[in-house]
């Protein structure tokens, strides 16, 4: 078979590394799915992106994330800290000062997120065109 051709349409996106896509299923004990759900939610992505530049306090994060509630930000930060993505530093002063920063693990995750954002920016015109074609088909099919 010629290099770059596929055996079937299902091989169109084959990668060099094999992996079991079924490991992403929704079973409660599936760690991969739980981790993907955690880091891919919209609040976590924003927190990780903001912390890539510098250490921030809670109020700075809240001010920079439009639409997030105090409760949701607290929950997001706790989950990311539990997963080792961010670290929380409490300073023994009055009033208490708390900073949040990416861990080395969080920095590697940010590199992956940056790649995803770059891919989105590079392909947004194609995605918009595909959406328009789809929407036209949906209207014509009614």
């Amino acid at each position: 078979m010629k290099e770059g051709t596929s055996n079937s349409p299902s091989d169109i996106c084959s990668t060099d590394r094999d992996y079991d896509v079924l490991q992403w299923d929704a079973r409660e004990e599936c760690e991969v799915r739980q981790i993907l759900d955690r880091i891919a939610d919209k609040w976590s992505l924003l927190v990780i992106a903001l912390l890539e530049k510098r250490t921030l306090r809670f109020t700075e994060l809240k001010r920079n994330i439009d639409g997030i509630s105090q409760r949701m930000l607290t929950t997001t930060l706790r989950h990311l800290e539990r997963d080792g993505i961010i670290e929380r530093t409490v300073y023994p002063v009055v009033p208490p000062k708390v900073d949040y920063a990416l861990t080395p693990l969080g920095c590697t995750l940010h590199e992956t997120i940056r790649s995803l954002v770059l891919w989105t920016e590079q392909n947004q015109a194609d995605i918009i065109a595909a959406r328009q074609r789809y929407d036209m088909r949906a209207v014509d099919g009614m």
Side-chain angles (χ1 to χ4, degrees):
M1 180 174 288
K2 192 175 184 181
E3 185 178 333
T5 59
S6 300
N7 291 329
S8 70
S10 65
D11 289 340
I12 196 166
C13 293
S14 292
T15 60
D16 292 335
R17 296 185 338 204
D18 289 332
Y19 64 92
D20 181 7
V21 72
L22 296 178
Q23 70 183 347
W24 297 358
D25 72 15
R27 294 175 305 197
E28 188 174 319
E29 69 275 5
C30 181
E31 290 294 324
V32 172
R33 185 72 223 170
Q34 290 177 16
I35 294 166
L36 287 172
D37 286 346
R38 172 73 37 77
I39 62 176
D41 74 58
K42 72 177 183 177
W43 303 124
S44 294
L45 289 174
L46 288 169
V47 167
I48 292 164
L50 285 168
L51 291 176
E52 185 269 339
K53 297 194 182 302
R54 65 185 180 97
T55 299
L56 294 171
R57 296 180 72 178
F58 184 92
T59 53
E60 293 172 305
L61 285 165
K62 180 145 180 15
R63 184 177 37 240
N64 284 292
I65 302 175
D66 189 39
I68 193 168
S69 68
Q70 183 167 330
R71 181 182 173 280
M72 184 53 68
L73 180 55
T74 299
T75 300
T76 300
L77 291 168
R78 285 182 183 155
H79 288 158
L80 292 172
E81 182 182 10
R82 181 173 183 254
D83 289 344
I85 306 300
I86 66 169
E87 61 185 357
R88 178 178 184 258
T89 304
V90 180
Y91 298 93
V93 294
V94 177
K97 179 183 174 191
V98 180
D99 285 339
Y100 296 91
L102 286 182
T103 63
L105 179 64
C107 289
T108 64
L109 176 58
H110 185 267
E111 292 170 13
T112 301
I113 292 168
R114 189 178 317 157
S115 296
L116 180 60
V117 171
L118 182 60
W119 178 90
T120 304
E121 289 171 345
Q122 291 172 341
N123 292 285
Q124 66 184 338
D126 291 336
I127 293 168
I128 291 167
R131 287 176 180 172
Q132 291 170 341
R133 287 190 303 273
Y134 179 90
D135 292 346
M136 290 304 293
R137 270 195 342 251
V139 169
D140 293 341
M142 290 182 152

